[in-house]
Amino acid sequence: MNITRENIDELNAVVKVDIAKDDYAPKVEKILKDYRKNANVPGFRKGHVPMGMVKKQYGQAVLVDEVNKLLQENLNKYLTEEKLDVLGNPIPKEQENFDWNKDNYTFEFEVGLAPEFEVSLDLEKPVTKYNIVADDTMIDKQIENIQKQYGKLVSKDEVEEGDIVAGTFKNEEEGIENETSIELEKIKGKRNLNKFVGAKVGDTIALKTKSLFEDDHDLIQHLKIEHDKAHDLDIEVEFTISEINKRELADLDQELFDKLFGEGKVTTVTELKEKIKEDAEKQFVQQSDQQLMNDVTEALIEKTEFDLPKEFLQKWIRTVGEKPLTEEEAKEEYQNSEKGLRYQLIEGKIVKENDIQVDFEALKAFAKDKIKEQMAQFGQMDPSDKELDDIAARILSNQDEVKRLSEQLVNEKLLNFYKDNMKFDEKEVTYDEFVKEIYE
């Protein structure tokens, strides 16, 4: 067997594979002999079928199979040994009137090569690194939510603003009839709210569904309607009140502190606020880190210029899926995935040049940290090492989980690398300011 390569340009090559009869014949002969030993053909004893008959029936299928195996095995070996950094997979070139009755065969493959380029972390316009802080407004709102959650409902005779009103929504024509409870603070508009204020148990209120709630998802929940229907729904519904309650806030006392954080860990409102601020800002770090990673990725893609074997990749995309794509579909798919491919190449180069690796011990430690975080959410604050080791062992026995966690750990290491080696414009913002700046 002989394999050669012709470089068309810096990004494209053709690999030629010559297969001689001596490369495949011994294997084909052995398989056909095995077939002969086990063949059950009427009129012949087992193992005594004429070899000519076996070759006529199975010869070409076995030949094609063995040649394809040789091709794949040796082509992959060649690409590895030559250290060719290929994109996608080699594409076999079509050959008209290919003849399997010959003794020797030649196959050609188009290959897309990864470009040579350099990555610089020195950006002309530094990326913004957000430090999200929990301000007093957010902390006070969180305390109020806690007081509501641990408070109690007190029955009332007449509706006032801020109450919780239970009842049934009805519209016979649309088939709506649903019992629900409404927090009046979620009602949109003073006009709608005033229809509730002063009402009593047994009263029926006529309401328009359009702009009834601040959020369409509330309309879906309270009327039990389809998601697609909620956005433009503009009908009249009746709401018959069955119960009126006022939420009495829980006292900010030691009993509540102990329920929230364990006995004696928080003893004053000041300590409660500090704890809420600390917990909130820990969660904010994940969001600011994710945004930083997104922004660094975009900046590196924009700054790092290189060409790709575009035509080859579009041709490869056409053939790689379960269903072949048209040229236009492949072109669109390439355009949608080009940015991701560019970052994969950039990331791969950074990882390789800076020896960013993931070994088993680091992966195990990372998995245990993730397990501890999840257990803490369910109130298990201090699991034993044995417990963590057992859970981690089960998780790491699943190859899909190993791949997922490895990718997460590499991303974490990359982010830390960027933090250590790039200059950023640091900006302190509240969570609301962060959301407004990023998403609006």
Side-chain angles (χ1 to χ4, degrees), residues 377-390:
Q377 292 176 8
F378 294 96
Q380 292 178 264
M381 307 303 293
D382 193 24
S384 67
D385 277 340
K386 184 180 184 309
E387 193 174 4
L388 291 172
D389 283 336
D390 289 345

Side-chain angles (χ1 to χ4, degrees), residues 15-16 30 49 144 214 242 265 352 368 398 409:
V15 175
K16 182 179 177 183
K30 182 180 182 305
V49 180
E144 184 183 342
E214 294 287 350
S242 59
K265 292 188 176 179
K352 184 178 179 180
K368 287 169 70 173
N398 183 317
L409 183 52

Side-chain angles (χ1 to χ4, degrees), residues 246-422:
K246 178 181 180 180
R247 193 185 297 278
E248 204 169 82
L249 299 181
D251 291 330
L252 296 174
D253 56 17
Q254 194 60 49
E255 182 181 355
L256 178 60
F257 300 156
D258 291 347
K259 281 181 184 177
L260 293 171
F261 304 107
E263 191 172 343
K265 292 188 176 179
V266 170
T267 58
T268 66
V269 172
T270 301
E271 289 178 2
L272 172 65
K273 289 184 175 183
E274 289 172 353
K275 181 66 175 168
I276 290 172
K277 180 178 176 67
E278 178 187 343
D279 290 347
E281 290 180 355
K282 278 183 183 176
Q283 294 180 26
F284 294 158
V285 167
Q286 294 180 1
Q287 290 177 272
S288 62
D289 277 353
Q290 184 58 59
Q291 188 59 42
L292 181 63
M293 192 67 168
N294 292 346
D295 291 342
V296 168
T297 298
E298 290 289 339
L300 288 176
I301 291 171
E302 186 176 339
K303 179 179 174 63
T304 311
E305 296 183 358
F306 52 81
D307 292 327
L308 289 169
K310 181 178 176 181
E311 290 182 5
F312 167 83
L313 289 170
Q314 289 180 13
K315 187 184 290 187
W316 174 67
I317 288 170
R318 285 187 66 184
T319 61
V320 74
E322 292 182 10
K323 180 183 175 183
L325 302 181
T326 65
E327 285 189 21
E328 282 304 311
E329 288 171 335
K331 184 177 180 181
E332 184 179 352
E333 182 68 24
Y334 173 78
Q335 289 170 344
N336 291 337
S337 59
E338 182 184 355
K339 187 178 283 189
L341 174 58
R342 287 183 176 279
Y343 183 67
Q344 281 181 13
L345 293 170
I346 293 167
E347 180 187 282
K349 191 172 183 68
I350 293 171
V351 166
K352 184 178 179 180
E353 290 182 350
N354 297 280
D355 197 27
I356 298 173
Q357 297 182 7
V358 171
D359 58 33
F360 182 76
E361 288 305 314
L363 188 62
K364 182 180 176 183
F366 182 72
K368 287 169 70 173
D369 286 342
K370 293 296 179 186
I371 294 163
K372 281 178 74 173
E373 288 175 11
Q374 290 184 350
M375 294 177 78
Q377 292 176 8
F378 294 96
Q380 292 178 264
M381 307 303 293
D382 193 24
S384 67
D385 277 340
K386 184 180 184 309
E387 193 174 4
L388 291 172
D389 283 336
D390 289 345
I391 298 172
R394 287 200 299 274
I395 290 173
L396 296 176
S397 67
N398 183 317
Q399 289 305 307
D400 289 338
E401 284 297 307
V402 169
K403 182 182 177 184
R404 183 180 65 84
L405 288 169
S406 296
E407 288 172 353
Q408 287 183 9
L409 183 52
V410 167
N411 278 339
E412 186 177 281
K413 284 175 172 280
L414 267 173
L415 181 61
N416 290 333
F417 175 78
Y418 294 149
K419 286 180 177 179
D420 292 339
N421 292 279
M422 295 182 76

Side-chain angles (χ1 to χ4, degrees), residues 42 48 65 79 120 134 158 193 209 216 235 314 339 389 393 414:
H48 289 77
D65 189 45
L79 296 176
S120 172
E158 187 174 301
L193 183 60
T209 56
D216 282 343
I235 61 172
Q314 289 180 13
K339 187 178 283 189
D389 283 336
L414 267 173

